[in-house]
């Protein structure tokens, strides 16, 4: 399989403070459960501000990035991030290219049959349109639009479900154009190549706050977002950390700082054999 990387090479970003912390304590996960001993290798697609993105200086930032670093710190591991498109993440996890998918992958029962998942964030889907485009107030108002969406994710699946729903009601439906990542989809919207972009609520809200695009419809197809693993033991260790963060209030503090909702669950692992 050909993996398309956003940067010239796979970008492995290690937080120096977290690395120093990890050197001062013994890893809480056996080396056999990790791609690299003493290191938590995480895959992310940094095209979703404010959740994960690259700032003007080239640094990886966002709520999920901070969460991954804190998880690694509490496990006495060094955090490393590989920037890669979403369509490569699940195959890469199964092939042992990274330990953890930390990109806001939507939880589904089907995905939980093939990997270990911890739901931790509530999200839903929005449709962004140009600021001057008015008159769209609900799903029916989207009928006939050409919309862009990232290839291979929950958002594409639900966009096609919405298209089918509209057509079943005797309407035109949607013209769907897929992109390798959300950054390209929003670029196409800016250029007028599509009339809307389907993304998660948190991202659409950020673009609206910036004044770039308008959220025409939001709150569609609500579902929990998860982190995902191949190793059950690693998943259990991360689950314990997230429960600890919930109990000490640091998880709520992180979510509140970004205005994002936590799941109502207990951060238990859901996956094969669970």
């Amino acid at each position: 399989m050909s993996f398309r990387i956003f940067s010239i090479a796979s970008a492995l970003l290690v937080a120096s403070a977290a690395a120093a912390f990890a050197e001062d304590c013994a890893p809480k996960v056996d080396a056999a459960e990790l791609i690299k001993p003493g290191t938590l290798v995480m895959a992310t697609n940094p095209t979703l501000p404010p959740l994960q993105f690259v700032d003007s200086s080239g640094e990886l930032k966002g709520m999920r990035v901070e969460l991954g670093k804190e998880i690694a710190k509490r496990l006495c591991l060094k955090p490393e991030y590989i920037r890669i498109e979403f369509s490569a993440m699940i195959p890469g996890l199964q092939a042992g290219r990274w330990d953890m998918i930390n990109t806001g992958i939507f939880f589904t029962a089907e995905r939980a049959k093939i990997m270990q998942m911890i739901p931790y964030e509530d999200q839903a889907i929005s449709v962004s349109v140009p600021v001057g485009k008015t008159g769209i107030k609900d799903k029916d108002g989207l009928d006939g639009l050409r919309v862009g969406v990232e290839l291979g994710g929950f958002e594409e699946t639900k966009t096609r479900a919405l298209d089918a729903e509209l057509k079943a009601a005797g309407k035109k439906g949607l013209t769907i154009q897929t992109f390798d990542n959300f950054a390209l989809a929003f670029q196409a919207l800016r250029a007028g190549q599509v009339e809307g972009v389907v993304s998660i609520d948190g991202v659409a809200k950020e673009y609206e706050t910036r004044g770039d695009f308008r959220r025409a419809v939001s709150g569609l197809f609500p579902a929990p977002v998860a982190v995902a693993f191949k190793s059950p033991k690693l998943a259990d260790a991360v689950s314990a950390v997230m429960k600890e963060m919930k109990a000490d209030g640091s998880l709520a503090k992180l979510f509140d700082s970004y205005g994002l909702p936590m799941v109502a669950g207990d951060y238990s692992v859901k996956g094969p054999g669970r």
Side-chain angles (χ1 to χ4, degrees):
M1 179 175 182
S2 175
F3 293 97
R4 298 180 296 271
I5 311 301
F6 292 140
S7 53
I8 295 176
S10 297
L12 305 179
L13 301 181
V14 181
S16 58
F21 179 91
E23 291 172 358
D24 293 337
C25 65
K28 298 179 182 179
V29 180
D30 290 342
E33 303 299 323
L34 301 167
I35 305 303
K36 296 170 60 177
T39 304
L40 182 61
V41 181
M42 295 171 278
T44 191
N45 60 335
T47 64
L48 298 170
L51 304 170
Q52 66 249 16
F53 64 99
V54 179
D55 68 9
S56 59
S57 64
E59 292 295 313
L60 195 59
K61 296 289 181 68
M63 187 276 283
R64 293 170 183 160
V65 176
E66 291 184 39
L67 176 62
K69 288 179 179 180
E70 182 63 21
I71 289 170
K73 178 181 177 180
R74 294 189 184 216
L75 292 175
C76 298
L77 300 173
K78 297 178 182 179
E80 288 191 2
Y81 278 100
I82 296 179
R83 306 179 193 180
I84 193 164
E85 292 161 3
F86 179 79
S87 59
M89 288 191 182
I90 296 176
L93 184 72
Q94 294 170 329
R97 294 176 180 268
W98 33 80
D99 302 303
M100 171 177 163
I101 295 176
N102 181 17
T103 200
I105 183 171
F106 275 95
F107 174 85
T108 67
E110 292 74 19
R111 286 174 174 168
K113 292 177 181 177
I114 61 172
M115 54 188 169
Q116 310 291 325
M117 305 187 77
I118 304 173
Y120 71 96
E121 177 187 333
D122 272 334
Q123 279 290 354
I125 290 174
S126 289
V127 181
S128 299
V129 298
V131 173
K133 190 174 185 64
T134 59
I136 300 174
K137 299 179 180 179
D138 53 27
K139 290 189 292 184
D140 288 343
L142 301 171
D143 188 49
L145 288 188
R146 175 181 291 276
V147 297
V149 67
E150 184 180 70
L151 176 68
F154 181 87
E155 296 89 344
E156 182 191 358
T157 299
K158 292 306 182 183
T159 302
R160 296 194 182 281
L162 177 57
D163 173 52
E165 181 182 328
L166 290 170
K167 288 176 178 175
K171 300 180 182 297
K172 296 177 182 178
L174 304 172
T175 299
I176 301 169
Q177 186 171 344
T178 58
F179 294 86
D180 288 337
N181 57 68
F182 282 108
L184 294 176
F186 279 106
Q187 286 175 18
L189 179 58
R190 195 182 303 276
Q193 296 168 348
V194 296
E195 298 171 282
V197 168
V198 182
S199 68
I200 63 174
D201 278 353
V203 173
K205 179 182 178 182
E206 174 70 10
Y207 278 117
E208 184 173 61
T209 299
R210 294 179 182 183
D212 293 335
F213 307 107
R214 185 177 72 84
R215 263 200 311 177
V217 182
S218 62
L220 303 175
F221 308 108
V225 160
V227 285
F229 313 82
K230 180 179 181 181
S231 165
K233 291 183 179 179
L234 175 59
D236 287 339
V238 171
S239 174
V241 166
M242 296 184 80
K243 290 177 180 179
E244 177 185 277
M245 291 178 67
K246 181 181 179 181
D248 66 24
S250 58
L251 194 61
K253 183 178 180 180
L254 176 61
F255 272 72
D256 288 347
S257 69
Y258 284 89
L260 296 170
M262 298 164 54
V263 296
D266 63 356
Y267 305 97
S268 295
V269 182
K270 302 181 186 297
R274 304 283 178 172

